[in-house]
Amino acid sequence: MVRGYKRLAGAAVSLAVAGTLAAASLVTGAGPVGAESPAAGKGEYLVFYGAGGQAEALRAISAGGGAAAAVDAKLGYIVAEGPGTAFAEALGASPAVVGVTGNRRIGAATALAAGAGPATEPVSLPVSSSQDAAASRQDEAASRQDAGAASEAASVRRVPSRGSAARRGEPLSGRQWDMRMIGATPSGSYAKSRGSKRVLVGIIDTGVDGRHPDIAANFNRSLSRNFVTDHPKDPNGRSLDGPCEYKRCKDPVDVDDDGHGTHVASTIGSPINGIGIAGVAPGVSLVNIRAGTDAGFFFLKPVLDALTYAGDAGVDVVNMSFFVDPWTFNCARNPADSRADQLQQAGIITGVQRALDYARARGVTLISALGNGSTDLGDPTVDKESPGYPLGKQRQRTIDNSCLNVPAESRGVISVSAVGPSKRKAWYSDYGTEQTDLSAPGGDPSDTGSSLKGTAREILAAAPTRVLRKQKLIDAAGKPTSSSVVRECHHGSCSYYQYLSGTSMASPHAAGVAAILVSRFGKPGKGGLTLAPSRVERLLYATAIPVSCPASGSTTYSVSEETHTCSGSAAMNGFYGHGLVSAYRAATTKG
């Protein structure tokens, strides 16, 4: 996951002993309740109302001295502006209001156009305006002037014959222990089903480098969207996303300034093209549905927009390697929190669940990373990471099982734990008998149960050149400066790949397997193929390889000096869920 999940996936985390762990919490929720605008002394809020409670919620907003800017009737919330934290707490007293979450102005569809009066009728918020679409097209055209991007795009046109690559495997396939573990190889699932181009897999993440030579052929630019706007600084004036690189600080739909989303997309669907690696489902279409900032924050409004769009656009599977900020665990009634904080967390729980329900009802199979907190989610006791925004505001609080990691513990979501190359549960991976649905390769630098060494125990997938250059992981000449980066060249053009670990790296393996199942059993639907999420879920569980708990019933991790207890049978347990995902079994099952 990115930022939120102990930075194991998303914003790559370097651990002294465990190597680079992909930031485990890509879920960055809306900003804190009462995040007032310095100029106006007011805050913007997402006010979630109960069934039939829209009119009463609008009255409560007005009575509290606020104003409604927009209404999203699909998910049942109002975008409102009001005078600070006291306003949010006053709204919480209304029986019609079920959550109030402060909203940071991220993304093009945060509110209605300037000048619009208070909403009195249900208004469906647009995914993007024609003005935003035009600006996006201008940004895309400008981005093609980037020398590095132009070089990468050129290399796509010089791909060698695919026949031999399909038989022998891609140039870097020898480094893909993860694909061998799940049977995604030339003699395995690739020989049976590589996935259909008509299947759309959405990557809700930090973006996707759509011009990477090992992604471009499968990247669906026309359906991709970016729901965030980069913010150079945080409210305290500290650097956040870095300098704006495009007009209006809005990146094109084929840009990833973090690298997390590109790695995830590559694992799902890098094509078989004689370049680098191949993904789990190398024949599917990849759709960037960006909800994460350059800094790896996933705020509530962009996450809601991304999930709603996935449902409306006919996306078949989405991968969510993140948690919604700013809370690692959301507790609607935790006495350790203020009333304003409780309302914010209730808003996140409610809003994300509604968006997930909306997408699932429209045929979207929901796959999530479980988390990198090394925690039994069935018995959490302490949260030291929240709130993660504004920066530096974390505090230790006592929590219990009523507190939820969102979206991993939300209803209708298939949550995935991570294993290392020996199939041992990764030391960092969260677990739980009620929370773990499946397991998949996520990498574990501390897993000594195989012949692999160091970074080779992690997951290798595509990385954006300019991100690696910015992180000084490649030098001016393009040579890697770290063993975590691999350069693969042919015909004078090179592409880059990076080793990362995390449950963020595990869930895309499951998403790829889900895409294979939709490709095989889906029926013609909106823009392609469709298969009911409930059936995809059943097939995923049926084709998973059962893995029993360790013989001792627990596993001790020397890296963190922790003991994690595994409960359950081989058919279903807290470490592996229904088992290890299998691309080969998905490609060969009779359904």
Side-chain angles (χ1 to χ4, degrees):
M1 319 270 297
V2 184
R3 197 205 61 76
Y5 283 149
K6 302 291 184 293
R7 292 192 68 78
L8 281 180
V13 169
S14 201
L15 299 184
V17 187
T20 304
L21 282 149
S25 90
L26 273 184
V27 180
T28 315
V33 169
E36 292 85 1
S37 163
K42 293 183 179 181
E44 186 172 87
Y45 302 86
L46 305 184
V47 182
F48 294 90
Y49 52 83
Q54 183 189 117
E56 178 59 32
L58 287 167
R59 284 192 288 271
I61 290 168
S62 179
V71 178
D72 188 327
K74 290 180 179 179
L75 302 186
Y77 70 88
I78 302 164
V79 180
E81 186 177 80
T85 302
F87 169 71
E89 293 182 350
L91 288 178
S94 169
V97 174
V98 296
V100 184
T101 303
N103 184 46
R104 294 190 67 233
R105 291 183 176 273
I106 295 179
T110 299
L112 296 181
T120 56
E121 297 292 331
V123 179
S124 179
L125 298 180
V127 170
S128 62
S129 66
S130 58
Q131 187 177 30
D132 292 327
S136 179
R137 287 193 294 272
Q138 293 173 0
D139 289 341
E140 289 181 26
S143 71
R144 283 169 174 73
Q145 303 304 313
D146 180 272
S151 174
E152 290 182 358
S155 71
V156 175
R157 295 191 292 271
R158 294 195 291 272
V159 174
S161 170
R162 297 185 180 185
S164 59
R167 291 190 298 271
R168 298 193 307 266
E170 299 291 78
L172 299 179
S173 62
R175 298 172 180 260
Q176 292 187 280
W177 61 265
D178 54 319
M179 297 301 170
R180 292 191 294 277
M181 181 181 287
I182 67 172
T185 63
S187 61
S189 63
Y190 298 160
K192 303 296 183 179
S193 176
R194 301 179 187 178
S196 169
K197 211 73 166 183
R198 299 173 68 191
V199 173
L200 305 176
V201 182
I203 295 90
I204 302 181
D205 216 291
T206 59
V208 176
D209 180 1
R211 286 162 296 174
H212 190 286
D214 223 0
I215 288 178
N218 287 343
F219 186 69
N220 190 318
R221 181 173 283 100
S222 65
L223 285 180
S224 293
R225 297 288 186 273
N226 175 11
F227 290 103
V228 302
T229 299
D230 292 338
H231 281 240
K233 298 182 183 299
D234 72 6
N236 295 316
R238 293 174 293 189
S239 177
L240 189 62
D241 290 329
C244 292
E245 300 156 304
Y246 300 93
K247 286 184 178 181
R248 303 178 183 177
C249 289
K250 192 172 179 66
D251 292 340
V253 297
D254 56 3
V255 167
D256 176 13
D257 285 327
D258 180 277
H260 186 273
T262 298
H263 196 282
V264 165
S266 176
T267 296
I268 295 170
S270 273
I272 295 176
N273 57 1
I275 299 174
I277 68 167
V280 178
V284 301
S285 293
L286 302 171
V287 182
N288 173 27
I289 313 178
R290 181 176 168 184
T293 68
D294 286 352
F297 284 98
F298 286 69
F299 294 97
L300 180 58
K301 184 62 165 65
V303 171
L304 300 182
D305 290 341
L307 285 166
T308 303
Y309 175 75
D312 291 339
V315 170
D316 297 290
V317 181
V318 295
N319 184 84
M320 301 178 289
S321 290
F322 65 85
F323 67 75
V324 178
D325 287 306
W327 304 90
T328 303
F329 289 93
N330 291 273
C331 315
R333 298 179 181 82
N334 190 348
D337 299 327
S338 68
R339 179 56 179 154
D341 284 346
Q342 291 174 349
L343 287 167
Q344 183 191 44
Q345 293 168 77
I348 292 171
I349 294 170
T350 299
V352 174
Q353 187 62 63
R354 290 179 179 179
L356 293 167
D357 291 344
Y358 182 90
R360 197 168 190 268
R362 285 155 183 78
V364 184
T365 295
L366 307 161
I367 310 288
S368 174
L370 191 58
N372 300 337
S374 191
T375 299
D376 180 354
L377 296 181
D379 187 27
T381 57
V382 178
D383 179 7
K384 300 179 181 179
E385 306 296 326
S386 304
Y389 192 90
L391 303 177
K393 295 297 184 181
Q394 300 93 330
R395 57 184 172 81
Q396 181 169 315
R397 59 183 184 143
T398 300
I399 60 172
D400 59 30
N401 198 30
S402 67
C403 302
L404 302 178
N405 182 305
V406 176
E409 293 189 82
S410 300
R411 294 189 309 277
V413 174
I414 299 168
S415 296
V416 186
S417 66
V419 303
S422 73
K423 295 185 182 179
R424 184 190 79 168
K425 185 188 79 68
W427 72 267
Y428 56 79
S429 180
D430 287 341
Y431 60 101
T433 54
E434 296 178 356
Q435 292 77 21
T436 308
D437 296 311
L438 291 166
S439 56
D444 185 350
S446 70
D447 186 349
T448 59
S450 74
S451 61
L452 297 175
K453 306 293 183 183
T455 55
R457 298 167 179 163
E458 300 184 275
I459 306 299
L460 185 69
T465 302
R466 64 181 183 180
V467 171
L468 297 178
R469 184 171 289 118
K470 181 180 179 180
Q471 295 174 349
K472 302 188 184 304
L473 292 175
I474 58 175
D475 61 21
K479 182 179 179 181
T481 61
S482 165
S483 62
S484 69
V485 175
V486 176
R487 178 172 64 173
E488 195 267 314
C489 303
H490 61 280
H491 297 285
S493 296
C494 300
S495 52
Y496 293 89
Y497 303 82
Q498 186 174 19
Y499 283 106
L500 292 175
S501 293
T503 55
S504 284
M505 283 59 258
S507 62
H509 288 84
V513 174
I516 291 174
L517 292 168
V518 177
S519 299
R520 294 194 60 217
F521 301 108
K523 304 299 181 184
K526 183 177 181 180
L529 299 176
T530 185
L531 186 64
S534 58
R535 188 174 179 204
V536 177
E537 182 176 357
R538 288 195 299 270
L539 288 169
L540 277 171
Y541 297 164
T543 57
I545 301 170
V547 183
S548 299
C549 288
S552 64
S554 65
T555 300
T556 301
Y557 299 97
S558 59
V559 173
S560 56
E561 298 182 351
E562 295 179 349
T563 298
H564 297 172
T565 301
C566 179
S567 300
S569 66
M572 180 65 189
N573 60 65
F575 278 12
Y576 305 101
H578 292 272
L580 183 73
V581 297
S582 173
Y584 179 74
R585 293 178 68 167
T588 57
T589 183
K590 294 182 180 179

